[in-house]
Amino acid sequence: MTTTVGQYLSARLGQIGLKHHFAVAGDFNLVLLDELLAEGSTRQVYSCNELNCGYSAEGYGRANGAAAMVVTFSVGALSAINAIGSAYAENVPVIIVSGAPNTNDHGSGHLLHHTLGNTDYGYQAEMMRHITCATEVVLSAANAPHQIDNAIRTALRERKPAYIEIPCNLANAACPAPGPVDSLLSEPAADQASLDAALEETGRFLYARDKVVLLVGSRMRASGILDLLPALADRLGCAVTVMAAAKGFFPEDHPAYRGVYWGEVSTPGAQELVESADGILCLGPVFNDYATVGWRATLNPENTLLADLQGITVNGRVFTGFSIGQYVEALAVRAPRRASSAETPRRSVPAIPPAARGARLSNDEMARQINALIDGNTTLTAETGDSWFNAVRMELPGGARVESEMQWGSIGWSVPAALGGALAAPDRRHILMVGDGSFQLTAQEVAQMVRYELPVIIFLVNNRGYVIEIKIHDGPYNYIKNWDYAGLIAAFNAEDGHGLGLRATTAGELAAAIEQAKANTRGPTLIECDLDRADCTETLVKWGTKVAAANSRAPKVN
């Protein structure tokens, strides 16, 4: 049996569980797009530009476990690099497929459009090698199946993006048909001896501790075993905290949950609990400058067990040869049962009192009303900025999820990412919190929400500037041209759309707008929330001051 290179790729994407792929057309990928449509395992979803295409795929991959995108050579793929950097930093397996020049032009001396103006066409793959776990340049149809499979397999195992380059004259070239997909989806077997030794050392670590706390980090999303964490907490009998970027990764209605650990801006009680513990099990953490509040929140290594995606460090020893999922799954069964060390009472985030309906809309009131909208079937996407801090202080029912991008932190990510998440999980309610400055980078993708009738509820904070940057380091570059954000939806709707654009300046107007948004099931609803520029969370101000101090450290003198 034979197929074509493009149809082989299409079949594999469907076999690994994708229902959609994202695309921006360009002359080097047009035949490839035709082949994907002809095979039909995944629906082709169009983006306004390649950056948005990549962010959409990244958001889809978070909800679905993997994603794919198709762009054209150079002018397309290089625009997508920022988004692929995000997928790499955030551990999301996005398969980026780029069309490429005809194989007859390689080494011919021909000068082609969409290139750097020289005859070396290998620069794009070289760039991609730095931000992917596998880079495959297909130069023959016969080798294409092996190369496609290798890229997909590596992306799924390493939870990182992979790159496939397909010349325009090979997309419809004949190649062998795909076989069973088991080898792409199967996880490598654990090194049982190493895993057993790691579990024994973990037991020694736990037996020697009186006060144990579980700290869940953002890399646990890539583990695929978030649903096992409550069983592990029950087995250990310990309190559980999450890092800010892992908000929602552990059910907040579980009796062991004790809040968000974020150094000096932790939720009430969480910093004291974690930093006073003599045994901290850190699962998939990322201790960067943002997470540590400018390197101020540090844990005692002697009291810390660090579990990363491919091994653990405990009691001064390193164990590898197994995944964090295999480790947690085994630990939830084999860990020594302990008397509960979760007796530290849970301290709730202070409730925000409702504002009068006619009161000027405030950040607190906006956050209160958004929190009331969240149920156990909600995904909240929080953009870089004060949306992080508003999300962290919300109390989530079991099943609710939060998605943020705290490692890469590229403003504008959230709008396309929310679109991708809504396509991947259409049965969930999708809420997006985004600031006006971030929105201006990727606003066009709301038009695609209109096109695909995605009922994302967008809370756009209009405070006329990059407030997070103002709090870190102020200057005239932090103030932006105001837009009629609510008015954009009419333009995006054109003659056939069903989006809603609403504006809220008071608490009552926001409540009324939310009711309209809940009733609008055929497109997005953008609610422009008019806030004073100085009105933000206290934690943003405190955090911004500390991060600014870290950024302004004087150079070391040798």
Side-chain angles (χ1 to χ4, degrees):
M1 294 179 61
T2 62
T3 184
T4 67
V5 172
Q7 293 193 29
Y8 185 101
L9 170 66
S10 179
R12 282 302 199 211
L13 295 180
Q15 286 177 321
I16 65 169
L18 274 59
K19 295 180 173 62
H20 307 81
H21 65 270
F22 298 88
V24 178
D27 58 351
F28 286 127
N29 72 9
L30 298 178
V31 175
L32 176 58
L33 294 178
D34 287 342
E35 294 297 306
L36 293 168
L37 288 170
E39 198 279 334
S41 288
T42 58
R43 181 186 180 190
Q44 204 162 89
V45 175
Y46 306 109
S47 303
C48 292
N49 59 56
E50 290 84 1
L51 175 63
N52 291 358
C53 185
Y55 286 150
S56 296
E58 200 256 35
Y60 187 97
R62 288 167 178 250
N64 188 66
M69 59 182 291
V70 184
V71 295
T72 196
F73 189 70
S74 202
V75 294
L78 268 59
S79 290
I81 277 182
N82 186 9
I84 299 305
S86 174
Y88 192 94
E90 302 286 338
N91 297 104
V92 182
V94 172
I95 314 299
I96 174 171
V97 184
S98 175
N102 188 296
T103 55
N104 293 301
D105 291 319
H106 289 263
S108 67
H110 293 167
L111 194 62
L112 297 178
H113 69 289
H114 290 344
T115 69
L116 296 177
N118 57 43
T119 57
D120 177 6
Y121 306 134
Y123 59 88
Q124 180 170 294
E126 181 58 35
M127 292 179 184
M128 287 291 178
R129 284 189 178 92
H130 295 277
I131 52 172
T132 60
C133 63
T135 298
E136 294 288 353
V137 178
V138 176
L139 293 176
S140 78
N143 291 336
H146 169 75
Q147 292 181 274
I148 290 170
D149 284 1
N150 181 62
I152 293 174
R153 181 188 302 108
T154 307
L156 295 179
R157 289 184 176 180
E158 298 192 19
R159 315 307 295 172
K160 297 284 188 183
Y163 173 75
I164 304 171
E165 185 173 302
I166 301 177
C168 56
N169 63 328
L170 292 184
N172 60 357
C175 73
V181 75
D182 295 352
S183 66
L184 300 188
L185 298 176
S186 60
E187 184 178 38
D191 179 335
Q192 196 60 47
S194 181
L195 179 58
D196 288 342
L199 293 168
E200 290 175 8
E201 196 66 39
T202 300
R204 283 189 281 272
F205 175 85
L206 292 171
Y207 276 123
R209 267 70 187 176
D210 295 321
K211 184 178 179 183
V212 175
V213 174
L214 194 63
L215 178 62
V216 179
S218 60
R219 285 182 177 152
M220 285 304 294
R221 182 199 301 105
S223 71
I225 48 88
L226 290 178
D227 57 336
L228 292 181
L229 295 181
L232 177 61
D234 292 341
R235 178 89 184 190
L236 295 174
C238 66
V240 180
T241 58
V242 300
M243 299 182 73
K247 172 76 173 178
F249 285 14
F250 188 88
E252 297 190 7
D253 54 359
H254 189 283
Y257 180 71
R258 293 294 181 274
V260 177
Y261 174 68
W262 200 355
E264 297 167 61
V265 294
S266 300
T267 55
Q271 182 181 18
E272 179 184 358
L273 174 68
V274 172
E275 295 180 1
S276 65
D278 63 357
I280 309 166
L281 273 68
C282 298
L283 302 181
V286 177
F287 292 116
N288 63 16
D289 51 339
Y290 276 13
T292 60
V293 196
W295 311 116
R296 295 170 63 88
T298 57
L299 304 178
N300 184 345
E302 294 183 0
N303 293 338
T304 302
L305 182 154
L306 179 62
D308 211 340
L309 292 179
Q310 300 299 329
I312 74 163
T313 302
V314 56
N315 289 338
R317 302 181 66 190
V318 175
F319 301 88
T320 60
F322 50 86
S323 70
I324 194 171
Q326 293 163 334
Y327 172 72
V328 170
E329 187 174 9
L331 189 63
V333 176
R334 295 172 54 178
R337 292 186 182 275
R338 300 169 51 87
S340 175
S341 60
E343 59 277 322
T344 304
R346 178 176 176 178
R347 292 171 56 186
S348 298
V349 176
I352 301 171
R357 290 185 62 84
R360 170 93 160 85
L361 184 61
S362 67
N363 185 55
D364 281 350
E365 176 62 17
M366 179 190 70
R368 186 192 70 80
Q369 292 197 33
I370 295 173
N371 202 164
L373 183 61
I374 296 172
D375 61 17
N377 196 42
T378 297
T379 296
L380 173 65
T381 302
E383 176 61 77
T384 297
D386 206 22
S387 295
W388 284 348
F389 298 88
N390 275 324
V392 162
R393 64 174 171 162
M394 291 182 182
E395 296 195 357
L396 304 180
R401 289 291 300 272
V402 174
E403 294 294 349
S404 61
E405 192 207 28
M406 288 194 182
Q407 174 57 36
W408 192 244
S410 182
I411 63 172
W413 159 85
S414 66
V415 178
L419 179 151
L423 279 169
D427 295 332
R428 292 180 68 83
R429 169 178 284 169
H430 292 271
I431 297 174
L432 165 62
M433 294 191 301
V434 59
D436 49 354
S438 297
F439 182 79
Q440 289 191 5
L441 272 76
T442 53
Q444 317 93 312
E445 228 52 31
V446 176
Q448 303 297 357
M449 296 181 187
V450 172
R451 179 179 189 173
Y452 296 107
E453 298 189 352
L454 300 175
V456 179
I457 303 176
I458 304 167
F459 292 91
L460 186 143
V461 180
N462 186 354
N463 47 21
R464 295 167 177 77
Y466 302 126
V467 169
I468 188 170
E469 302 292 353
I470 291 170
K471 300 304 178 184
I472 293 176
H473 184 103
D474 200 7
Y477 31 76
N478 290 325
Y479 302 88
I480 62 176
K481 173 67 178 72
N482 190 36
W483 289 5
D484 179 2
Y485 297 99
L488 284 175
I489 302 302
F492 291 153
N493 280 338
E495 70 281 356
D496 58 357
H498 301 281
L500 283 179
L502 308 170
R503 183 174 289 106
T505 61
T506 68
E509 288 174 355
L510 179 58
I514 288 174
E515 290 306 310
Q516 288 182 260
K518 290 161 65 177
N520 180 27
T521 60
R522 293 195 60 192
T525 300
L526 186 151
I527 304 173
E528 181 180 343
C529 301
D530 195 313
L531 300 185
D532 186 271
R533 182 178 292 143
D535 185 9
C536 63
T537 60
E538 294 180 5
T539 46
L540 170 61
V541 176
K542 186 174 184 178
W543 176 89
T545 301
K546 306 301 183 185
V547 171
N551 288 345
S552 61
R553 289 167 295 167
K556 291 183 178 179
V557 178
N558 293 329

